[in-house]
Amino acid sequence: MSKELCSGIEKAPQRALYKALGLTDEEIAKPLIAIISAKSEIVPGHAHLDKITDAVKAGIYAAGGTPFVVPSIGICDGIAMGHDGMRYSLPSRELIADGVESMLTGHAFDGVVLVPNCDKIVPGMIMGAARVNIPAVLVSGGPMESGLYKGEKVSLSTTFEAVGKVKSGNMSLDELTELENCACPGCGSCCGMYTANSLNCLSEALGIALPGNGTIGANKAERLRLAKSAGAAIMKMVSNDILPRMILTKDAFVNALTLDMAIGASTNTVLHLFAIAAECGITLNLDLVQQISDRTPNLCKLSPATTRDMEDLNRSGGIMAVLNQLASKNLIKGDAITVTGKTLGKSYAHAEITGDAINPIDDPISPHGGIAVLKGNICEDGAVVKRSAVSQKMLAFTGKAKCFDSEEDCVHAIMSGKIQKGDVIVIRYEGPKGGPGMREMLSPTSALCGMGLDEDVALITDGRFSGATRGAAIGHVCPEAAAGGKIALIQNGDKISIDIPAGRLNLDINAKEMAARTKKFRPKDGEPSGWLLRYKYLVTGASQGAVLKKKF
């Protein structure tokens, strides 16, 4: 692409602008490679990305290319959690994809190395690269180390749960301060199998990232070597004309979903894999997710379900060891192409389990995958739950509804002691359209855990949950309340039945009562301002990945 921009007499003005940057004729003649970095000083997962991009630049220079670092926005979900800022998190995925498309096309780059680290930034960058379809490699900033508090591993989710402990009198304010001082000891994506790390791991299975991308620590020298290797890899891809849509095939998405189930990844991965697939002209659906979950054993149980973290997974052989286990039962399509130019099977062929964070496939944690899809009369288009983080006693549960039309009202009720054992909390009007923005809700789930209610109270919502969530937290209820979904018809005291093994979620009222409520129903409506107003009218449902409509 850059040859069209830099060659010939008529392109002298463009060459003049490159020379204004200090480039020589020799540098301009080489392949021009973008490094799109989410570096910022507000996001712990992104604070060190300048070091990663420097390493990528070194790899590109060494392999005969000319690199250019360009920026991307990025929101920290942990900082945005629990206030209106979270409404912008999921929508920012679309802005990031648009930004990647704009920068790559506007400057006619020959290839791109994507350097994200956190939740929406990873899928947003991949979506943009898939649209433009020039050679692309992803290398993330890597996971944060766990903190240590009173001899135990702690993390961001521990801090969220501690708020509930303080409210219930089980922790002092001094102890909370001590915990917050050590829970997040340095840069990197938060250390459990939360959304950011889930997506960075799934990128390996998709083939768009090199082995080790998901698990090598942010502060490790190995991470810098990986970044240099990504710089070298992009030059080989440019030479061999290997494009993202050659890699991001239906087989690649099946591999990613299979890994998703095996490692107990975040439910947000469903939204993001669907969205990336849509950019490649591939349609995924919740029925496929459930089919893959049914046949895929869960081999890893990591934070928030246990204190094991990403470092433990890395020491145990990482993602390639998990894929090799899955391949031994023919669950992985090993002939899928990757950014190495070789098949995925070549990458995991010799990977072995070297620690206790990965169970052998013949001795799984569970015969079923970490995510389950539920359907019923209040989620006709589906809902999802992180089954691997649900207590056995909550897998089948019936309780009485307590309904809230916003996250804030729910959190206030929890903190005020108004939620009792046996309740099913319903939070609605928090979907993609209704929020708008489909806020991630770690505050209410963490409060329940901190107050010791996570094994006695369920929560369902048309919003979504952080990957740090544990307990019977069922999200992505579709259709959402703002789109006329029946979650809006639930009333306080209604009986709700949850059966995760059977994949069922139902409001226990008769058809006549349901029809009467439906006839009277008028969805709540509001007019947000700015970008969220456009998002509200363009966004699709969570069962479609909450992508923006292609036609309007």
Side-chain angles (χ1 to χ4, degrees):
M1 292 174 68
S2 67
K3 297 299 181 192
E4 298 175 8
L5 196 64
C6 301
S7 301
I9 296 172
E10 68 277 7
K11 294 300 189 291
Q14 284 86 346
R15 290 194 298 273
L17 290 170
Y18 282 130
K19 290 178 179 180
L21 298 172
L23 296 181
T24 65
D25 287 322
E26 290 77 16
E27 287 175 306
I28 296 170
K30 293 176 180 179
L32 307 184
I33 308 298
I35 305 172
I36 300 185
S37 170
K39 158 73 179 174
S40 76
E41 295 183 351
I42 188 61
V43 183
H46 297 168
H48 66 305
L49 292 188
D50 52 345
K51 296 178 181 177
I52 304 297
T53 54
D54 283 347
V56 174
K57 286 171 71 174
I60 293 170
Y61 273 128
T66 301
F68 299 84
V69 179
V70 296
S72 168
I73 63 169
I75 291 174
C76 176
D77 281 16
I79 294 173
M81 199 76 66
H83 65 95
D84 270 357
M86 181 51 80
R87 299 190 193 282
Y88 288 84
S89 176
L90 182 59
S92 76
R93 184 188 69 186
E94 314 309 313
L95 297 179
I96 291 163
D98 290 348
V100 169
E101 176 190 359
S102 299
M103 292 300 286
L104 294 183
T105 306
H107 298 99
F109 284 109
D110 297 298
V112 58
V113 179
L114 309 169
V115 187
N117 209 30
C118 295
D119 296 15
K120 308 312 145 313
I121 300 89
V122 177
M125 284 192 182
I126 299 174
M127 289 163 67
R131 281 185 205 167
V132 180
N133 203 33
I134 63 171
V137 179
L138 182 140
V139 58
S140 74
M144 183 188 293
E145 295 178 355
S146 289
L148 198 64
Y149 176 68
K150 296 184 176 180
E152 299 288 335
K153 284 184 177 181
V154 292
S155 65
L156 178 68
S157 64
T158 315
T159 313
F160 270 95
E161 292 179 14
V163 175
K165 289 183 179 180
V166 172
K167 290 290 185 179
S168 63
N170 293 318
M171 177 180 271
S172 70
L173 285 173
D174 287 343
E175 288 174 316
L176 178 62
T177 300
E178 187 180 347
L179 172 62
E180 72 182 61
N181 286 339
C182 63
C184 300
C187 63
S189 48
C190 297
C191 63
M193 190 54 77
Y194 311 153
T195 305
N197 290 327
S198 294
L199 287 162
N200 284 325
C201 289
L202 297 192
S203 296
E204 294 186 44
L206 281 172
I208 199 71
L210 294 170
N213 179 70
T215 59
I216 297 170
N219 292 313
K220 302 294 185 184
E222 189 180 0
R223 174 62 58 177
L224 297 179
R225 295 197 296 271
L226 182 74
K228 290 177 182 177
S229 296
I234 192 61
M235 296 310 299
K236 289 181 180 178
M237 292 180 72
V238 170
S239 295
N240 296 320
D241 202 26
I242 299 173
L243 307 178
R245 290 187 213 166
M246 295 177 182
I247 295 169
L248 299 170
T249 62
K250 182 68 174 285
D251 283 355
F253 287 102
V254 169
N255 285 341
L257 283 167
T258 301
L259 176 67
D260 196 333
M261 301 306 159
I263 62 176
S266 164
T267 51
N268 284 318
T269 57
V270 176
L271 287 173
H272 300 318
L273 287 175
F274 282 26
I276 298 167
E279 297 293 350
C280 301
I282 296 167
T283 300
L284 304 178
N285 59 50
L286 291 176
D287 290 338
L288 175 64
V289 173
Q290 189 59 52
Q291 289 167 21
I292 293 173
S293 183
D294 287 341
R295 69 182 184 231
T296 307
N298 180 212
L299 304 182
C300 302
K301 202 174 185 73
L302 302 172
S303 174
T306 70
T307 57
R308 287 197 185 99
D309 58 17
M310 299 305 295
E311 187 173 10
D312 294 316
L313 179 56
N314 193 55
R315 286 173 179 157
S316 298
I319 294 307
M320 291 301 131
V322 178
L323 291 174
N324 201 11
Q325 288 295 306
L326 295 169
S328 71
K329 300 295 184 183
N330 297 315
L331 295 171
I332 292 294
K333 299 178 185 296
D335 57 355
I337 194 72
T338 75
V339 292
T340 65
K342 300 175 182 178
T343 64
L344 185 63
K346 292 281 187 183
S347 294
Y348 63 65
H350 303 293
E352 297 181 354
I353 297 174
T354 54
D356 62 2
I358 304 171
N359 276 37
I361 198 161
D362 291 326
D363 183 27
I365 295 165
S366 165
H368 306 297
I371 294 175
V373 175
L374 310 182
K375 290 193 175 180
N377 63 2
I378 49 175
C379 55
E380 291 137 320
D381 294 342
V384 295
V385 61
K386 189 171 182 175
R387 173 166 47 187
S388 59
V390 179
S391 161
Q392 286 292 317
K393 66 180 286 189
M394 292 297 290
L395 290 174
F397 181 78
T398 299
K400 290 185 177 180
K402 285 194 175 172
C403 302
F404 304 93
D405 288 349
S406 73
E407 177 190 3
E408 288 84 355
D409 289 347
C410 173
V411 171
H412 183 263
I414 294 171
M415 295 301 189
S416 301
K418 295 178 181 177
I419 302 300
Q420 308 297 323
K421 292 182 178 182
D423 286 343
V424 177
I425 296 171
V426 178
I427 306 177
R428 55 208 177 188
Y429 294 102
E430 290 286 8
K433 175 184 172 69
M438 200 180 186
R439 285 193 291 179
E440 195 171 81
M441 291 179 276
L442 184 55
S443 295
T445 57
S446 297
L448 290 173
C449 290
M451 299 176 82
L453 293 171
D454 55 303
E455 294 193 357
D456 299 286
V457 172
L459 193 158
I460 68 171
T461 181
D462 52 10
R464 62 193 179 91
F465 295 110
S466 164
T469 292
R470 59 189 174 97
I474 300 165
H476 306 198
V477 168
C478 287
E480 61 174 294
K486 291 186 171 60
I487 187 173
L489 304 182
I490 303 171
Q491 298 178 2
N492 287 329
D494 282 345
K495 196 175 285 187
I496 295 175
S497 298
I498 301 165
D499 190 336
I500 294 173
R504 305 301 298 168
L505 173 62
N506 282 297
L507 173 61
D508 293 341
I509 61 174
N510 60 45
K512 184 177 180 181
E513 175 63 16
M514 184 73 85
R517 293 186 188 182
T518 301
K519 187 175 181 180
K520 293 179 182 178
F521 172 65
R522 297 293 181 273
K524 286 178 57 180
D525 198 16
E527 287 294 298
S529 60
W531 150 234
L532 290 185
L533 179 61
R534 300 199 305 276
Y535 183 82
K536 171 183 175 179
Y537 288 106
L538 294 176
V539 71
T540 61
S543 62
Q544 297 170 266
V547 297
L548 300 187
K549 297 172 185 175
K550 301 295 185 187
K551 297 180 180 179
F552 11 93

